[in-house]
Amino acid sequence: MKYLERRVIHGILLLIGVSVLCFLFSDLAPGSFFDEMKLNPQISSETVAALRSQYGLDKPLPVRYARWVESVLGGEWGYSFAYNSSVRSLLVVRARNTLLLTTLATLFSWLVAVPLGVWISNHPGKWYDRLSMGGTSLLLSVPELVLVFGLLYFAIRTHALPVGGMTSVGFDQLGLWGKTIDLVTHLIVPVTTLVLASLPVLVRHVRASMVEVLKLPFIQAARGHGIGPARLLFRYALPAAGNPLISLFGLSVAGLLSGSLLVEVITGWPGIGPLLLEASMSRDLYVVVGAVMSSTLFMVFGSLLADVMLVVVDPRIRVE
Amino acid sequence: MASKRKIVAAVMFLLSLHLAILLAGFVAPYDPAAQNRDFPFAPPTRVRFVDAAGHLHARPFIYQCVARPDGIYEYEESRELRYPVHLFVVGPEYKLVGLWPSRVHLFGVEAPAQIFLAGTDNYGRDQFSRILYGGQISVAAGLLATGTSLLLGLLIGCVSGFYGKWLDESAMRLAELFLVLPWLYLLLAVRAFLPLHISPTQTFLLLVVVIGTIGWARPARLIRGIVLGAKNRKYVTASRSFGASDYYILRRHVLPHTYGILLTQAALLVPQYVIAEVTLSFFGLGLSEPMPSWGNLLANLQQYNVLVSYWWMFLPALALVLVSFGYLNVANAFHERLQSGST
Amino acid sequence: MGTEAVGRAIKPALVKARALCKRYVQRAPFSRKKFVIDALMDVDLEIALGCLTALVGESGSGKSTLASCLGILEKPDRGEIWFEGSKVSFANSRELTALRPKIQMVFQDSAGALNPRFSAAQIIEEPLEIQGRESGARLRARACELMEEVGLSPDAGNRSPLEFSGGQRQRLAIARALALKPTFLILDESLSGLDLATQAQILNLLLDLQTSHSLTYLLISHDLSLVGQVADFVAVMHHGKIVECGSRQQVFSAPQHAHTKELLASVGVVEAAFRTAQVGGGQ
Ligand SMILES: Nc1ncnc2c1ncn2[C@@H]1O[C@H](COP(=O)(O)OP(=O)(O)O)[C@@H](O)[C@H]1O
Ligand SMILES: [Mg+2]
């Protein structure tokens, strides 16, 4: 498993790189990031003094970075000036919610994209192929921002779905079944937005790589042997088209996370997105860094997952 | 050649969009900041050919919009007088392309009637005018940020590919960092560290620089690849034997190979960056009211009653979609052309 | 002809190379294994002024590498090169700039050495432009002159080199190399890949140019029979070393090294065909 080991190390280096980059950017700010903190009436002078000694806030960048790394290793992930608590306590719940949203969105978009892409690749030029391609190119030019408002409008107008947040008001009083239903109905708008937004790229990629594979001689031969179209497409051609698609899976996570941020903010989903936005506005340094780091962590997990799948699907990678 | 016709059609479509936005002062009938306190959330004015009596008119006309006495934010048409839509009418003064003062507008109606093609917002400002003026900001930000990205990408890609060694290695590692990060997270993080309360011009330039800087990695990688391929050509060695400088070789033998990629990348990046600007302004991290940016216009939708009751507040989104669509078409056409050219 | 060759032999050397070494290190893709190729191993060579020296050897023996070292395009790992009696220093860029126009090269792969985005005239103008020798309308006029000189019609100046035949491309490359009025011209496999009649035509062109421009040639070929007709001196390369070096008579009549003998054995077969072609080529 040398390959995977290398990928894990790569991921860790990436995380370190991103954190360094964050701190470098934070140093770009004209004036000190911490001057403003002193002006903030929400933060008591004792807090500032405590923070100053703990994080070396007036010390040069490398010291601050080192203190931050120390606090990450200690499980605290820095300190939120606005919330007066450790960043980790803020992030954990938020990260879970974002993860729920993005995982479901990833799952559903692939569940739709693969069969659709495979199906239309078998008959390029047919009306449903052209319809799907036209549809995806239209969908491609509709940004998430517009999609989510469209869906919200629809949800509000039809009264079919609850709007805003993750749960309804009386959530705690509901039984397990009621809670599930409530959560699922709240999930529909954000997940659908994300699925619709990532679908066009995925469908196009699946179709393109399938079209390439279907030209290969061994598929032609299999066709000649009278193997049925469904078996031919999914058992013969799809695995052959697998590698680029799995790599795409890793990449698609990044796009999904950006989309998720926007959708979370607009639908009031209590994920990392609204937290980061709020922290950006109030210049809550360690929360910003923490949010970026957790999104990077998701990214790294996504691509590691893709790597694991690659190794499972394609034994040649293991040898290398 | 089919692909050539495609390019022409796609480019023409884009050009007409940009022309309308560039000449916003002329195309828009009103000042984008002019408020009509009597007409908040007035619906789009209907342009008619048939009057109340059933007569057909060659020249389109409108009826004046009046507030209903019994409701708030409810309007009806007063059917007494027809107000024909005239071309090239004299209206509020503006500066064409920000330079030449003028009072001539593409179309308009006589006072006291007003023509709101895309309705009005909560201050009774004409949305059609605001969309056009807002486009100036959003699209200009997209274009300038794209220029920044491509320039950075070209610079870093050329140096990286041409000189190689540790420069290349470190530049490409950095590019990897920028590529894997979700762009919106990065954008917000970088924005967080920059000052919030500055003049609109500074904000605009800041947006352009931040958005453009974040996207340098992809063009840089693509250009590096092309430079790598081009610099090992035999004719580059030949050029060296004549005593050519690195600059000459880059300019004459290497850069011409990158034009195709630059064009395609530009067509892909502009809509992304327009959306980035819109997103930041939407979040309140970009240009703020009363400057119209598509992001500000769309931010109205965050109010529940606006989202539900006034469908025309969605129209800025349509402008955004049209621009994205235009650019993606051009990008596709360029891409097809590059593909067919290389094989 | 014999006396003439001896006469030339006492002429001073234009180019001298001493103990040149060049090693290429290549890394195999996806692995840490390194391949070391010793392209030049202690190569000594003298090229007499005003003569045609032929460098012969099988493909991969290091001829092109030696050519790029002599053409100051690659820095040898070790060893020294003298040109016109002074040592070529790779470090001094001002000296190099002054030296570049005097040493010109016609590259092995003529199609690859001509930028397909340039027109034929632009290709010839390039060295003039870089050296700032001509500008404006004079530039194009000079390009046309050069094209005529190598037997190309100036009307073809606006065509892409891709539209040219192999022989025409060779002529174009020669015209470009002549543009800076060099004293030393390195011709790397300039005759390979052409049919016999074209080979003879190009060879004749080169000989004409040699007298009119008083050029010194290093003609590189993997084919001994081809250059045996015209060379004053012959150097034989094998596995990165020069194994045989001397006047044509010496090498042809009394080869010392086994490899030279091997090369000579295959000459007779082609020679007859070459003669016919030379006649057919209009000599
Ligand atoms: N740039 C290079 N990198 C690595 N190896 C090279 C390079 N150029 C030449 N070689 C190797 O050096 C040897 C000599 O090549 P070359 O001088 O081109 O031979 P010739 O011109 O006689 O055919 C060959 O084995 C070739 O593979
Ligand atoms: Mg060679």
mmCIF file of all heavy atoms in Angstrom, chain B residues 89-115:
data_model
loop_
_atom_site.group_PDB
_atom_site.id
_atom_site.type_symbol
_atom_site.label_atom_id
_atom_site.label_comp_id
_atom_site.label_asym_id
_atom_site.label_seq_id
_atom_site.Cartn_x
_atom_site.Cartn_y
_atom_site.Cartn_z
ATOM 1 N N VAL B 89 -35.233 59.324 -26.809
ATOM 2 C CA VAL B 89 -35.887 60.411 -26.101
ATOM 3 C C VAL B 89 -34.881 61.117 -25.197
ATOM 4 O O VAL B 89 -33.837 60.568 -24.866
ATOM 5 C CB VAL B 89 -37.051 59.888 -25.237
ATOM 6 C CG1 VAL B 89 -38.114 59.265 -26.097
ATOM 7 C CG2 VAL B 89 -36.531 58.912 -24.202
ATOM 8 N N VAL B 90 -35.225 62.324 -24.837
ATOM 9 C CA VAL B 90 -34.378 63.081 -23.916
ATOM 10 C C VAL B 90 -34.842 62.779 -22.500
ATOM 11 O O VAL B 90 -36.030 62.787 -22.214
ATOM 12 C CB VAL B 90 -34.485 64.590 -24.220
ATOM 13 C CG1 VAL B 90 -33.742 65.379 -23.153
ATOM 14 C CG2 VAL B 90 -33.925 64.872 -25.599
ATOM 15 N N GLY B 91 -33.897 62.467 -21.630
ATOM 16 C CA GLY B 91 -34.253 62.104 -20.258
ATOM 17 C C GLY B 91 -33.199 62.606 -19.301
ATOM 18 O O GLY B 91 -32.507 63.575 -19.586
ATOM 19 N N PRO B 92 -33.059 61.934 -18.173
ATOM 20 C CA PRO B 92 -32.064 62.363 -17.185
ATOM 21 C C PRO B 92 -30.649 62.301 -17.753
ATOM 22 O O PRO B 92 -30.341 61.460 -18.599
ATOM 23 C CB PRO B 92 -32.225 61.364 -16.035
ATOM 24 C CG PRO B 92 -33.223 60.364 -16.469
ATOM 25 C CD PRO B 92 -33.838 60.784 -17.740
ATOM 26 N N GLU B 93 -29.818 63.217 -17.254
ATOM 27 C CA GLU B 93 -28.468 63.279 -17.800
ATOM 28 C C GLU B 93 -27.624 62.130 -17.263
ATOM 29 O O GLU B 93 -27.811 61.640 -16.155
ATOM 30 C CB GLU B 93 -27.814 64.614 -17.418
ATOM 31 C CG GLU B 93 -26.468 64.756 -18.096
ATOM 32 C CD GLU B 93 -25.941 66.188 -17.990
ATOM 33 O OE1 GLU B 93 -26.689 67.120 -18.285
ATOM 34 O OE2 GLU B 93 -24.769 66.335 -17.615
ATOM 35 N N TYR B 94 -26.713 61.649 -18.104
ATOM 36 C CA TYR B 94 -25.801 60.581 -17.690
ATOM 37 C C TYR B 94 -24.513 60.797 -18.448
ATOM 38 O O TYR B 94 -24.414 61.661 -19.321
ATOM 39 C CB TYR B 94 -26.381 59.207 -18.023
ATOM 40 C CG TYR B 94 -26.590 58.975 -19.504
ATOM 41 C CD1 TYR B 94 -25.577 58.387 -20.270
ATOM 42 C CD2 TYR B 94 -27.766 59.358 -20.146
ATOM 43 C CE1 TYR B 94 -25.750 58.200 -21.635
ATOM 44 C CE2 TYR B 94 -27.951 59.165 -21.488
ATOM 45 C CZ TYR B 94 -26.944 58.584 -22.240
ATOM 46 O OH TYR B 94 -27.103 58.390 -23.569
ATOM 47 N N LYS B 95 -23.510 60.014 -18.110
ATOM 48 C CA LYS B 95 -22.251 60.086 -18.853
ATOM 49 C C LYS B 95 -22.040 58.765 -19.581
ATOM 50 O O LYS B 95 -21.938 57.716 -18.953
ATOM 51 C CB LYS B 95 -21.092 60.341 -17.898
ATOM 52 C CG LYS B 95 -21.005 61.797 -17.502
ATOM 53 C CD LYS B 95 -19.672 62.093 -16.875
ATOM 54 C CE LYS B 95 -19.553 63.583 -16.612
ATOM 55 N NZ LYS B 95 -18.676 63.854 -15.477
ATOM 56 N N LEU B 96 -21.978 58.841 -20.903
ATOM 57 C CA LEU B 96 -21.801 57.628 -21.690
ATOM 58 C C LEU B 96 -20.395 57.082 -21.435
ATOM 59 O O LEU B 96 -19.411 57.803 -21.550
ATOM 60 C CB LEU B 96 -21.992 57.957 -23.175
ATOM 61 C CG LEU B 96 -22.189 56.727 -24.069
ATOM 62 C CD1 LEU B 96 -23.476 56.016 -23.748
ATOM 63 C CD2 LEU B 96 -22.153 57.120 -25.533
ATOM 64 N N VAL B 97 -20.343 55.805 -21.076
ATOM 65 C CA VAL B 97 -19.086 55.136 -20.739
ATOM 66 C C VAL B 97 -18.328 55.953 -19.677
ATOM 67 O O VAL B 97 -17.106 55.887 -19.575
ATOM 68 C CB VAL B 97 -18.202 54.912 -21.996
ATOM 69 C CG1 VAL B 97 -17.243 53.746 -21.752
ATOM 70 C CG2 VAL B 97 -19.017 54.643 -23.222
ATOM 71 N N GLY B 98 -19.086 56.720 -18.901
ATOM 72 C CA GLY B 98 -18.469 57.494 -17.833
ATOM 73 C C GLY B 98 -17.702 58.717 -18.315
ATOM 74 O O GLY B 98 -16.988 59.341 -17.558
ATOM 75 N N LEU B 99 -17.823 59.045 -19.607
ATOM 76 C CA LEU B 99 -17.017 60.136 -20.150
ATOM 77 C C LEU B 99 -17.849 61.265 -20.735
ATOM 78 O O LEU B 99 -17.723 62.419 -20.349
ATOM 79 C CB LEU B 99 -16.080 59.602 -21.242
ATOM 80 C CG LEU B 99 -14.976 58.654 -20.780
ATOM 81 C CD1 LEU B 99 -14.209 58.122 -21.979
ATOM 82 C CD2 LEU B 99 -14.034 59.391 -19.845
ATOM 83 N N TRP B 100 -18.713 60.907 -21.706
ATOM 84 C CA TRP B 100 -19.398 61.947 -22.451
ATOM 85 C C TRP B 100 -20.785 62.196 -21.871
ATOM 86 O O TRP B 100 -21.620 61.296 -21.896
ATOM 87 C CB TRP B 100 -19.501 61.544 -23.925
ATOM 88 C CG TRP B 100 -18.184 61.361 -24.533
ATOM 89 C CD1 TRP B 100 -17.321 62.343 -24.911
ATOM 90 C CD2 TRP B 100 -17.539 60.113 -24.819
ATOM 91 N NE1 TRP B 100 -16.181 61.785 -25.410
ATOM 92 C CE2 TRP B 100 -16.277 60.425 -25.373
ATOM 93 C CE3 TRP B 100 -17.891 58.778 -24.668
ATOM 94 C CZ2 TRP B 100 -15.378 59.450 -25.768
ATOM 95 C CZ3 TRP B 100 -17.011 57.802 -25.053
ATOM 96 C CH2 TRP B 100 -15.757 58.143 -25.601
ATOM 97 N N PRO B 101 -21.037 63.400 -21.392
ATOM 98 C CA PRO B 101 -22.365 63.682 -20.864
ATOM 99 C C PRO B 101 -23.403 63.694 -21.983
ATOM 100 O O PRO B 101 -23.119 64.156 -23.100
ATOM 101 C CB PRO B 101 -22.213 65.069 -20.229
ATOM 102 C CG PRO B 101 -20.958 65.628 -20.759
ATOM 103 C CD PRO B 101 -20.115 64.517 -21.271
ATOM 104 N N SER B 102 -24.569 63.152 -21.692
ATOM 105 C CA SER B 102 -25.613 63.082 -22.707
ATOM 106 C C SER B 102 -26.963 62.983 -22.004
ATOM 107 O O SER B 102 -27.038 62.684 -20.811
ATOM 108 C CB SER B 102 -25.385 61.868 -23.596
ATOM 109 O OG SER B 102 -26.574 61.546 -24.285
ATOM 110 N N ARG B 103 -28.027 63.274 -22.742
ATOM 111 C CA ARG B 103 -29.371 63.142 -22.174
ATOM 112 C C ARG B 103 -30.238 62.238 -23.029
ATOM 113 O O ARG B 103 -31.417 62.058 -22.748
ATOM 114 C CB ARG B 103 -30.020 64.527 -22.070
ATOM 115 C CG ARG B 103 -29.315 65.478 -21.103
ATOM 116 C CD ARG B 103 -29.998 66.828 -21.115
ATOM 117 N NE ARG B 103 -31.375 66.724 -20.631
ATOM 118 C CZ ARG B 103 -31.730 66.975 -19.363
ATOM 119 N NH1 ARG B 103 -30.828 67.348 -18.494
ATOM 120 N NH2 ARG B 103 -32.975 66.871 -18.983
ATOM 121 N N VAL B 104 -29.664 61.718 -24.099
ATOM 122 C CA VAL B 104 -30.453 60.903 -25.022
ATOM 123 C C VAL B 104 -30.483 59.453 -24.529
ATOM 124 O O VAL B 104 -29.442 58.878 -24.214
ATOM 125 C CB VAL B 104 -29.859 60.963 -26.435
ATOM 126 C CG1 VAL B 104 -30.690 60.115 -27.384
ATOM 127 C CG2 VAL B 104 -29.771 62.392 -26.909
ATOM 128 N N HIS B 105 -31.699 58.911 -24.450
ATOM 129 C CA HIS B 105 -31.848 57.510 -24.055
ATOM 130 C C HIS B 105 -32.454 56.721 -25.193
ATOM 131 O O HIS B 105 -33.151 57.272 -26.033
ATOM 132 C CB HIS B 105 -32.736 57.403 -22.813
ATOM 133 C CG HIS B 105 -32.105 58.020 -21.609
ATOM 134 N ND1 HIS B 105 -31.492 57.287 -20.638
ATOM 135 C CD2 HIS B 105 -31.968 59.325 -21.248
ATOM 136 C CE1 HIS B 105 -31.012 58.115 -19.709
ATOM 137 N NE2 HIS B 105 -31.285 59.354 -20.065
ATOM 138 N N LEU B 106 -32.174 55.435 -25.201
ATOM 139 C CA LEU B 106 -32.635 54.585 -26.300
ATOM 140 C C LEU B 106 -34.154 54.628 -26.415
ATOM 141 O O LEU B 106 -34.707 54.756 -27.501
ATOM 142 C CB LEU B 106 -32.167 53.145 -26.074
ATOM 143 C CG LEU B 106 -32.608 52.137 -27.128
ATOM 144 C CD1 LEU B 106 -32.044 52.492 -28.489
ATOM 145 C CD2 LEU B 106 -32.220 50.729 -26.741
ATOM 146 N N PHE B 107 -34.835 54.527 -25.294
ATOM 147 C CA PHE B 107 -36.296 54.568 -25.357
ATOM 148 C C PHE B 107 -36.820 55.241 -24.094
ATOM 149 O O PHE B 107 -36.070 55.460 -23.125
ATOM 150 C CB PHE B 107 -36.879 53.170 -25.499
ATOM 151 C CG PHE B 107 -36.640 52.304 -24.296
ATOM 152 C CD1 PHE B 107 -37.594 52.213 -23.300
ATOM 153 C CD2 PHE B 107 -35.447 51.599 -24.147
ATOM 154 C CE1 PHE B 107 -37.371 51.424 -22.186
ATOM 155 C CE2 PHE B 107 -35.226 50.808 -23.041
ATOM 156 C CZ PHE B 107 -36.190 50.723 -22.048
ATOM 157 N N GLY B 108 -38.084 55.566 -24.106
ATOM 158 C CA GLY B 108 -38.677 56.187 -22.940
ATOM 159 C C GLY B 108 -40.109 56.588 -23.231
ATOM 160 O O GLY B 108 -40.580 56.462 -24.367
ATOM 161 N N VAL B 109 -40.814 57.031 -22.191
ATOM 162 C CA VAL B 109 -42.189 57.501 -22.371
ATOM 163 C C VAL B 109 -42.277 58.893 -21.765
ATOM 164 O O VAL B 109 -41.424 59.299 -20.979
ATOM 165 C CB VAL B 109 -43.214 56.574 -21.690
ATOM 166 C CG1 VAL B 109 -43.251 55.227 -22.371
ATOM 167 C CG2 VAL B 109 -42.909 56.419 -20.211
ATOM 168 N N GLU B 110 -43.350 59.579 -22.136
ATOM 169 C CA GLU B 110 -43.502 60.933 -21.640
ATOM 170 C C GLU B 110 -43.962 60.925 -20.183
ATOM 171 O O GLU B 110 -44.701 60.050 -19.752
ATOM 172 C CB GLU B 110 -44.543 61.670 -22.490
ATOM 173 C CG GLU B 110 -43.908 62.662 -23.442
ATOM 174 C CD GLU B 110 -44.908 63.120 -24.475
ATOM 175 O OE1 GLU B 110 -45.959 63.653 -24.062
ATOM 176 O OE2 GLU B 110 -44.650 62.934 -25.678
ATOM 177 N N ALA B 111 -43.498 61.911 -19.425
ATOM 178 C CA ALA B 111 -43.969 62.068 -18.061
ATOM 179 C C ALA B 111 -45.453 62.389 -18.116
ATOM 180 O O ALA B 111 -45.919 62.925 -19.127
ATOM 181 C CB ALA B 111 -43.193 63.183 -17.378
ATOM 182 N N PRO B 112 -46.230 62.100 -17.129
ATOM 183 C CA PRO B 112 -45.829 61.544 -15.835
ATOM 184 C C PRO B 112 -45.687 60.031 -15.832
ATOM 185 O O PRO B 112 -45.364 59.458 -14.791
ATOM 186 C CB PRO B 112 -46.976 61.986 -14.929
ATOM 187 C CG PRO B 112 -48.171 61.953 -15.829
ATOM 188 C CD PRO B 112 -47.668 62.391 -17.180
ATOM 189 N N ALA B 113 -45.984 59.368 -16.976
ATOM 190 C CA ALA B 113 -45.875 57.907 -16.979
ATOM 191 C C ALA B 113 -44.401 57.513 -16.879
ATOM 192 O O ALA B 113 -43.510 58.280 -17.233
ATOM 193 C CB ALA B 113 -46.461 57.341 -18.262
ATOM 194 N N GLN B 114 -44.169 56.311 -16.367
ATOM 195 C CA GLN B 114 -42.799 55.793 -16.306
ATOM 196 C C GLN B 114 -42.810 54.358 -16.787
ATOM 197 O O GLN B 114 -43.779 53.628 -16.566
ATOM 198 C CB GLN B 114 -42.270 55.865 -14.881
ATOM 199 C CG GLN B 114 -41.848 57.280 -14.501
ATOM 200 C CD GLN B 114 -41.279 57.336 -13.114
ATOM 201 O OE1 GLN B 114 -41.962 57.021 -12.150
ATOM 202 N NE2 GLN B 114 -40.031 57.718 -13.020
ATOM 203 N N ILE B 115 -41.742 53.987 -17.451
ATOM 204 C CA ILE B 115 -41.681 52.629 -17.980
ATOM 205 C C ILE B 115 -40.654 51.838 -17.180
ATOM 206 O O ILE B 115 -39.470 52.158 -17.144
ATOM 207 C CB ILE B 115 -41.381 52.639 -19.499
ATOM 208 C CG1 ILE B 115 -41.345 51.213 -20.037
ATOM 209 C CG2 ILE B 115 -40.088 53.376 -19.837
ATOM 210 C CD1 ILE B 115 -41.422 51.136 -21.545
#
